[in-house]
Amino acid sequence: MKKILVFGAHPDDVEFGCGGLLIKEIKNGAKVKIVVCSLGEAGTNGTPAGRKAESKACAKLIGAEIEFLNLGGDSHIENTPKNAFKIASIIRAYKPQIVLTTSLVENQHPDHLALAFMTRNACRLARYGGLKELKKQPVHNIESLYYYPSSPDFSVKPDLIIDVSQEYDMWVKSMSIHKSQMKTKDYLNLVCSRAKAYGASIGVEYATILWANETVQVESLSLIKSSRSY
């Protein structure tokens, strides 16, 4: 059984970015934990308490664990060693094989970019045995790190496209729980339109995308399915 650890800078990032994929993985037997690194304190709509409640409701709906981590608050998350050690400590405690975090696209919310860099650093810190800041926990080496969409940028070609057609209705239901953010922007339409477009690109109804931190290893060419018919 795979363990997947997912980091989001704000209470809705994970659901909008990779909720469909998480639903699919949980259905296939994976154990998933979501870590939310602020309470959306700077948001135009919603309250920290309300947005925390929305996140907890989403996690319960899809069958994931959830934890809230204070990295300084919404719009104050910084890529610092202190914060990276906090993330590395969670990685050591949960011992995931797979870690997901926000994308490395530069033109997005600064919290997203800071979290992406910190999570990448933390995955390395989690396997270094000589760090005094983490000495109370045994080292842990993850298998894979992936980045999920955390901006409306369509210009960066994804490394992976995953069919989530069967999970789409549940995904929409989970995203719709974040009612406070729907008042700010039509995020649901944005995410669903992207899922529809990427789905069409591989001949399915809906799909989600990821970027890999490292080259993806496969057992044989026969296991790879191309998204294009030549």
Side-chain angles (χ1 to χ4, degrees):
M1 182 174 66
K2 292 287 186 180
K3 295 177 74 174
I4 302 174
L5 185 59
V6 195
F7 291 92
H10 310 108
D12 52 14
D13 291 342
V14 170
E15 289 81 5
F16 289 131
C18 60
L21 173 62
L22 298 183
I23 292 166
K24 183 168 193 166
E25 296 300 325
I26 291 170
K27 186 170 66 176
N28 290 337
K31 185 178 180 181
V32 172
K33 181 172 184 176
I34 297 168
V35 180
V36 181
C37 300
S38 81
L39 296 179
E41 296 90 344
T44 303
N45 292 296
T47 64
R51 296 191 66 185
K52 183 176 183 179
E54 289 172 346
S55 287
K56 292 173 73 173
C58 285
K60 182 178 181 180
L61 175 68
I62 69 171
E65 293 182 52
I66 191 166
E67 178 177 341
F68 295 88
L69 176 65
N70 184 1
L71 294 182
D74 186 357
S75 298
H76 293 82
I77 295 177
E78 294 184 272
N79 180 9
T80 65
K82 182 179 179 180
N83 283 338
F85 283 127
K86 290 181 180 180
I87 295 173
S89 178
I90 292 175
I91 293 171
R92 286 195 177 189
Y94 190 65
K95 297 179 174 57
Q97 286 84 25
I98 299 168
V99 173
L100 301 175
T101 191
T102 45
S103 75
L104 292 169
V105 173
E106 186 173 349
N107 185 22
Q108 61 173 325
H109 194 299
D111 286 351
H112 296 167
L113 190 59
L115 180 61
F117 283 123
M118 273 193 296
T119 305
R120 185 176 65 181
N121 293 341
C123 288
R124 292 189 172 94
L125 297 176
R127 61 182 171 88
Y128 295 161
L131 292 170
K132 63 181 181 179
E133 293 87 350
L134 301 170
K135 65 181 180 180
K136 293 182 179 180
Q137 297 171 297
V139 298
H140 178 71
N141 191 9
I142 70 166
E143 295 176 2
S144 304
L145 169 64
Y146 297 102
Y147 305 97
Y148 62 80
S150 52
S151 79
D153 192 341
F154 284 81
S155 64
V156 184
K157 185 178 179 180
D159 294 324
L160 301 171
I161 304 180
I162 304 101
D163 180 6
V164 292
S165 302
Q166 298 299 315
E167 294 73 35
Y168 179 75
D169 290 342
M170 179 68 78
W171 186 15
V172 171
K173 187 176 180 180
S174 70
M175 290 188 289
S176 299
I177 291 174
H178 290 283
K179 296 183 184 302
S180 62
Q181 294 314 287
M182 303 303 177
K183 299 176 183 178
T184 304
K185 191 174 183 179
D186 191 1
Y187 289 109
L188 187 60
N189 183 46
L190 176 64
V191 174
C192 293
S193 298
R194 180 171 58 201
K196 184 72 172 177
Y198 279 112
S201 75
I202 61 170
V204 301
E205 199 167 3
Y206 298 101
T208 193
I209 62 173
L210 294 175
W211 293 272
N213 190 60
E214 306 285 353
T215 302
V216 177
Q217 177 183 335
V218 296
E219 293 298 324
S220 71
L221 289 176
S222 63
L223 296 176
I224 303 173
K225 185 175 181 180
S226 175
S227 61
R228 176 184 294 181
S229 296
Y230 288 91

